[in-house]
Amino acid sequence: MSVEWGDVSGDASVPVDDRGFAYGDGLFETVLIRDGKPLLWREHMARLARGCERLAMVAPERHVLDALPTEAGPGLHVLKIVVTRGSGGRGYLPPASPRTRLRWQLSPFAPREDHWRDGVRVRLCALQLGCQPRLAGLKHLNRLENVLARQEWCDDRIAEGLLCDSDGMLVEATCMNLFWLRNGCLETPLLDRCGVAGTLRAALLAKRQVKEVSCPVGVLNTLEALWIGNSVQGLWPVTRLEDASGSLVMRWVISDVHRTFQSAAHELLGYPSTL
């Protein structure tokens, strides 16, 4: 077994028979790079290794991965790493000796500072996530549920959509994790049945007293504060929540509570702690 690698912005194409292209048989990471230094790199590499193990794929060699962020110049960039099982096999059956394929892309990046400052408006999605514990937490390539959920609105004033699983339990936003304050305690959904375990989430779980909980969607009516966030955009306070029809569910006024937790997250990413 071996590894291919190449920059997707160069000559390294992906063949039509690539299993990631054909079946979503692979994983990806999206890493914030500041002046050539990757943020939360340990968490990204741990999740990628965990995903490769769970999918029974050979992980790219670590020295190859560690060299990728150095390609970025000064300023902020996003490094997208895509790892697939490669080509071959008969139908869904993988080849006996797959050749892992690695591709990556670097792009300049500017975060939404207005969302940090002013907070965001979000809505509940009608789509429900299917439960598959074997894939829970992984950032695998099959993101069709997220694509369908994101198609539910085209109003630019709505920053994100919140997703529940098929049992009505809160899971995540379409591309962010959820955090909230309830009865004075910081909480985040337990991702043991579906959803993506974000690297910012992992770092905050290690740094702060954040409890993983299973909660139905009705808990949103009881929260003192709500945030959405990921390792690229940082943490956005939520100021307005709507249901799938656009009706108001809850409002929150940004307070010191919002800023304190936001600062803890932004410290991990090198973003401003005070706005």
Side-chain angles (χ1 to χ4, degrees), residues 54 130-138 140 191-195:
R54 194 96 56 89
C131 295
Q132 176 47 265
R134 188 167 177 178
L135 297 177
L138 303 186
H140 56 75
L191 303 179
D192 60 342
R193 303 198 303 167
C194 57

Side-chain angles (χ1 to χ4, degrees), residues 172-183:
E172 61 188 0
T174 65
C175 64
M176 291 181 155
N177 286 126
L178 304 178
F179 306 90
W180 59 71
L181 187 72
R182 181 172 58 144
N183 297 326

Side-chain angles (χ1 to χ4, degrees), residues 7 9 13 25 27 29 119 136 169 205 256:
D7 189 333
S9 64
S13 60
D25 188 4
L27 305 155
E29 294 290 331
M169 308 299 283
L205 283 171
D256 290 343

Side-chain angles (χ1 to χ4, degrees), residues 8 36 69 147 153 199 215 247-248:
V8 294
V147 171
W153 80 94
T199 54
C215 289
S247 298
L248 177 66

Side-chain angles (χ1 to χ4, degrees), residues 53-254:
E53 181 180 7
R54 194 96 56 89
L55 297 183
M57 289 171 46
V58 177
E61 294 181 6
R62 182 60 185 266
H63 73 90
V64 175
L65 294 169
D66 287 342
L68 298 183
T70 63
E71 300 292 327
L76 287 177
H77 292 78
V78 168
L79 169 66
K80 183 170 184 178
I81 301 170
V82 180
V83 178
T84 79
R85 202 182 301 271
S87 301
R90 178 177 297 178
Y92 292 138
L93 179 66
S97 298
R99 188 181 186 196
T100 303
R101 181 170 284 119
L102 169 64
R103 295 291 183 265
W104 66 88
Q105 185 176 41
L106 274 166
S107 305
F109 176 71
R112 291 295 304 268
E113 297 186 24
D114 56 328
H115 288 354
W116 295 343
R117 182 185 64 248
D118 303 329
V120 295
R121 173 178 166 187
V122 302
R123 55 161 280 160
L124 294 170
C125 292
L127 181 137
Q128 294 180 316
L129 297 172
C131 295
Q132 176 47 265
R134 188 167 177 178
L135 297 177
L138 303 186
K139 200 164 185 178
H140 56 75
L141 290 176
N142 191 335
R143 310 313 318 172
L144 280 177
E145 290 176 319
N146 305 71
V147 171
L148 291 173
R150 185 57 187 87
Q151 289 178 328
E152 292 186 19
W153 80 94
C154 56
D155 185 343
D156 291 338
R157 296 173 297 173
I158 297 175
E160 255 287 17
L162 309 191
L163 292 162
C164 293
D165 65 20
S166 54
D167 291 325
M169 308 299 283
L170 280 168
V171 179
E172 61 188 0
T174 65
C175 64
M176 291 181 155
N177 286 126
L178 304 178
F179 306 90
W180 59 71
L181 187 72
R182 181 172 58 144
N183 297 326
C185 297
L186 289 168
E187 298 176 338
T188 190
L190 176 66
L191 303 179
D192 60 342
R193 303 198 303 167
C194 57
V196 176
T199 54
L200 178 61
R201 175 183 181 275
L204 286 169
L205 283 171
K207 180 180 180 181
R208 307 279 294 188
Q209 290 185 333
V210 182
K211 185 179 180 181
E212 296 178 281
V213 295
S214 295
C215 289
V217 65
V219 77
L220 292 169
N221 295 308
T222 71
L223 304 182
E224 295 141 50
L226 176 64
W227 302 262
I228 55 176
N230 63 31
S231 63
V232 173
Q233 290 286 0
L235 212 61
W236 296 344
V238 175
T239 57
R240 178 184 172 96
L241 170 67
E242 301 174 3
D243 63 19
S245 66
S247 298
L248 177 66
V249 175
M250 282 289 289
R251 289 183 186 271
W252 294 272
V253 176
I254 297 177

